[in-house]
Amino acid sequence: MYIDLILRNMSRFADMLFTYRLSSDQEDKIKIGHRVSIPFGRSNKPIEAFVVAKRDSLGPGDIGEDKIKEIFEILDVEPMLSQENIRLIMWIRNRYMCTYMDALNLFYPKGYRLEAKKIEKDGQVVWTYKDKKNEKKLSYLSLRYDLDTIDRIVEEKRYRLGPKQVDIIKFLGLNKSVESRSLMEILGVSNQTIKSLVDKDLIEVKEENYYRRSEARFRSPVKKISLNKDQVQVVDQIKEGFFLDEKKPYLLHGVTGSGKTEVYMELIEYSLNQGLDSILLVPEIALTPQMIARVKARFGDIVGVFHSGLSEGQKHDVYREIKNGNIRVTIGTRSALFLPFRSLGLIIIDEEHDMSYHSEMTPKYSTIEVARYMSLRQNICLVMGSATPSVADYYRADHGEYSLLELNNRANERAMPQIEIVDMKAEINRGNRSEISRVLEDEIVRTVNAGNQAILFLNRRGYASSVTCRECGHVIKCKRCDISLTYHKFKNKGLCHYCGHEEDIPSMCPECSSTNIGVLGLGTEKIEEYINKKYPSFRTLRIDKDTTSKKGQLEAILDDFNRQEADVLIGTQILSKGHDFENVTLVGIISADMMLNYPDFRSFEQTYQLITQVAGRAGRGHKRGHVVLQTYNVDHFAIRHAVNYDYKSFYKDEIRLRRAFGYEPFNNMFRLVFSGNNYNIVKNNATKFIETVRYLLEARSIEVKGILGPNECSINKINDRFRWQVIIKDEVMDVKEIKSMLRYICISKFDQIFDKDININIEINPNSFI
């Protein structure tokens, strides 16, 4: 019997299926999805591979029988991958133009590795290997016999027991089973003392798997909330379609504070009652500790958490507990979608509009697309919720591809907070050059004096956005990236927000030697300094990447603010996601214009979403909320519709623009980024790509249309690598033809067309064009 395998090998030349032979005693044991060890290459080095197909004979395209090798062994008792996993791996490889290995790594559990090394055996150098798993076990100690029997054995065999050994035997006589570390601490004994009793066969050791849980600081009381009429209607509609064979994904459009989380919890409970598991995806797990606390409070120990902040050991244990059926509900970021659930029945994607659901690492997949594919192939109920759905997904709902559900009112029947616009151009004309308008400053004072809390939002961390010479205009830039350094006053350094490089700010201009060095722009650090200096009695907290880089810092800040130990919370877009503070009555949006000017067709959409999401943090309790929005562009349609919480009007204006320019959802867009260490070589390779595309299209008499570039990327250099890009719209060719052409040029013919040190990154409908 023969098997087809995907190799765990990063080489581009290993991106194919390999055929191996099974020994007769392996044929009945091997299953699709099994992880195996195989000899690979001329040296027959042991590497891992996964079985994706079994067959009895070779086909006409296979290599000769004499060249086919036999596998070493099956590494696991049960297959690591399911048939559905393998089907999804194939789909991801095709959809996102990545390798088998790239797709496989999404499913591969952390903490597993095959270590191979050469040893000398019988005068020959051979390979040996060991399969390692990052598992933690606890040792439990107990007496092998009763105390009378132990006394008799000690006397018959003339064992000489020390005082510590006697203490251990007496202690275990009173306690049936004790964890070894605990016993060592209680009695003050060493591991060697315990081992000597094990060697004498007087006590026995039993190892048990230990589940490394992630502990959360937030706690939530267990309380059953009765759903209102609108929530009940939404839940009932989803339940009715739960077991339909041809159900559509659900798009839940609910205003901030409408109780989407309670809807999710009811659906999870219903899924569990049907014997099915659930995944609740959130954009960034660290940003939603309250959500974790609420779900755990309701469903207890069957809830698992999975995100990038966990250690490899913790990830491994969550994987194992899900595979064993002990975790039935998982809250996680996008990677949780690939965990080995036994009977997955429900996928919920909260804040479905968030860009965090688009992977920035290869494979650059869309969580929404993968979840849609899974729901279709595996008949899983998919629910996507947001107060500001992505324009592309709302278009699909508007045209019947999704079932649209709506929650148009807050769950507590409170009004949405009023948004007051402040024209910053008029503010300057009145002589106020501060970053905070008089209106917002008066509101902050009024709010704090009334015993309430305020949130100030600015989507830029640091103190100032750039450091410049006031004499010649020279801007201090990152040495590795084509971008200005952001000034961070608490470090007194310039920091690159792309590569992490930091350096001292020079006291003299490197261009003109002037000492007149100053800073321009503003960041959260500067806003915090302003409030602290002007109102020293106000208690402030700041929440951005600088203050939350260490484990536990974010939860600590949110917890302190939730317990009203601060009056004002200043932060970046972390504040826009999933937080529920009952005492917050004021939200100040320092600058609503930052996103509007980004070189990205989604900038208007992202502006509307950020304003609406941040505004939604106000007035979530029993007190009326108020929002002050500062802008230099009061007439922009994204600003006007956000002020009125009018998503449908915003959608109509935005979709009209998308249709006119052929943007998503009307066309797919492919972005190819060419990068390398030499500017001219990168430029030449991007040009060679375009020339090859034109040659292929003209050979098929296809009009060369819908191709933009090659052009320098908006940020031309990141981390010492120059970047050029090409954008291709599927205006003339369909998606399948474009992908086939790109795979042929960029993968199959890479060595014939491009220089070896060039990297080509291909992305479909990219997250950003910067």
Side-chain angles (χ1 to χ4, degrees), residues 161-217:
L161 301 182
K164 292 292 187 182
Q165 292 175 319
V166 173
D167 288 345
I168 292 172
I169 291 172
K170 286 180 179 178
F171 189 83
L172 292 179
L174 297 172
N175 299 276
K176 188 176 181 181
S177 179
V178 181
E179 197 269 317
S180 62
R181 287 180 179 271
S182 299
L183 183 140
M184 289 163 67
E185 288 177 10
I186 294 168
L187 299 181
V189 298
S190 68
N191 190 52
Q192 185 59 41
T193 305
I194 294 171
K195 187 176 183 300
S196 68
L197 290 174
V198 174
D199 293 341
K200 290 180 174 68
D201 200 33
L202 298 179
I203 65 174
E204 61 181 350
V205 182
K206 183 179 180 182
E207 286 194 333
E208 293 184 9
N209 286 328
Y210 175 70
Y211 177 32
R212 290 162 281 199
R213 295 179 181 274
S214 59
E215 297 300 326
R217 178 167 173 163

Side-chain angles (χ1 to χ4, degrees), residues 326-565:
N326 297 326
I327 289 178
R328 306 285 311 284
V329 180
T330 299
I331 309 169
T333 47
R334 58 179 184 259
S335 56
L337 204 56
F338 307 104
L339 290 169
F341 284 93
R342 291 181 167 188
S343 52
L344 186 61
L346 175 66
I347 299 173
I348 298 170
I349 304 179
D350 189 34
E351 308 291 5
E352 68 89 33
H353 67 277
D354 198 281
M355 285 299 176
S356 300
Y357 288 124
H358 290 254
S359 172
E360 293 295 325
M361 305 291 288
T362 302
K364 296 198 169 186
Y365 64 90
S366 159
T367 305
I368 304 292
E369 286 184 348
V370 174
R372 281 205 316 253
Y373 178 84
M374 290 173 65
S375 72
L376 176 67
R377 296 294 313 196
Q378 302 174 44
N379 199 27
I380 294 169
C381 181
L382 173 59
V383 179
M384 302 173 289
S386 175
T388 55
S390 76
V391 168
D393 282 325
Y394 198 84
Y395 177 85
R396 295 182 182 100
D398 198 35
H399 286 73
E401 193 175 332
Y402 299 158
S403 294
L404 180 62
L405 306 172
E406 295 186 297
L407 292 171
N408 295 316
N409 301 298
R410 285 192 154 182
N412 57 10
E413 298 183 357
R414 295 279 176 184
M416 296 294 291
Q418 177 193 358
I419 301 179
E420 178 181 359
I421 290 184
V422 175
D423 186 347
M424 294 302 286
K425 287 185 289 187
E427 195 77 9
I428 291 173
N429 292 336
R430 286 193 291 266
N432 179 20
R433 295 190 172 276
S434 166
E435 287 81 11
I436 296 181
S437 64
R438 293 192 176 100
V439 171
L440 177 54
E441 198 161 325
D442 290 344
E443 285 299 319
I444 294 170
V445 173
R446 188 178 296 115
T447 298
V448 175
N449 288 341
N452 299 320
Q453 291 172 293
I455 286 176
L456 301 181
F457 168 77
L458 177 65
N459 202 24
R460 179 175 287 155
R461 64 187 174 104
Y463 187 86
S465 52
S466 63
V467 182
T468 184
C469 173
R470 292 193 175 105
E471 297 294 332
C472 71
H474 175 73
V475 176
I476 308 297
K477 286 192 171 186
C478 174
K479 290 179 171 61
R480 301 200 295 239
C481 304
D482 182 33
I483 193 167
S484 61
L485 293 176
T486 300
Y487 179 56
H488 288 248
K489 192 172 184 179
F490 82 102
K491 286 185 173 183
N492 194 30
K493 289 181 181 290
L495 181 65
C496 176
H497 289 177
Y498 278 83
C499 74
H501 168 74
E502 61 179 56
E503 62 181 72
D504 294 330
I505 298 300
S507 57
M508 183 182 295
C509 175
E511 290 292 314
C512 70
S513 301
S514 167
T515 56
N516 193 6
I517 303 291
V519 297
L520 292 175
L522 72 156
T524 50
E525 193 183 349
K526 191 173 184 180
I527 297 299
E528 181 185 38
E529 181 186 81
Y530 178 87
I531 297 294
N532 287 340
K533 280 186 176 179
K534 191 157 187 182
Y535 304 101
S537 64
F538 290 4
R539 300 168 299 167
T540 62
L541 287 170
R542 177 162 55 91
I543 189 167
D544 54 32
K545 195 173 180 181
D546 295 325
T547 61
T548 60
S549 58
K550 294 179 181 177
K551 192 172 183 179
Q553 283 183 318
L554 176 62
E555 277 196 37
I557 294 172
L558 292 175
D559 192 35
D560 288 345
F561 192 67
N562 198 46
R563 289 188 284 107
Q564 299 178 32
E565 293 184 5

Side-chain angles (χ1 to χ4, degrees), residues 113-126:
R113 67 185 186 278
L114 195 72
E115 289 188 352
K117 63 179 180 179
K118 290 180 178 180
I119 62 168
E120 190 171 327
K121 185 177 180 182
D122 299 330
Q124 290 185 322
V125 176
V126 296

Side-chain angles (χ1 to χ4, degrees), residues 92-152:
I92 288 172
R93 177 179 180 266
N94 178 60
R95 173 66 179 168
Y96 302 108
M97 290 164 290
C98 63
T99 65
Y100 283 119
M101 179 70 175
D102 293 330
L104 174 64
N105 279 340
L106 296 172
F107 298 84
Y108 194 85
K110 298 295 182 185
Y112 283 66
R113 67 185 186 278
L114 195 72
E115 289 188 352
K117 63 179 180 179
K118 290 180 178 180
I119 62 168
E120 190 171 327
K121 185 177 180 182
D122 299 330
Q124 290 185 322
V125 176
V126 296
W127 283 101
T128 183
Y129 62 91
K130 186 175 183 180
D131 185 35
K132 292 195 171 184
K133 299 176 184 178
N134 188 349
E135 295 181 342
K136 185 174 182 179
K137 295 181 182 291
L138 295 182
S139 299
Y140 287 87
L141 307 176
S142 60
L143 294 179
R144 187 169 287 280
Y145 314 101
D146 59 56
L147 289 173
D148 290 338
T149 304
I150 287 177
D151 287 341
R152 192 182 72 249

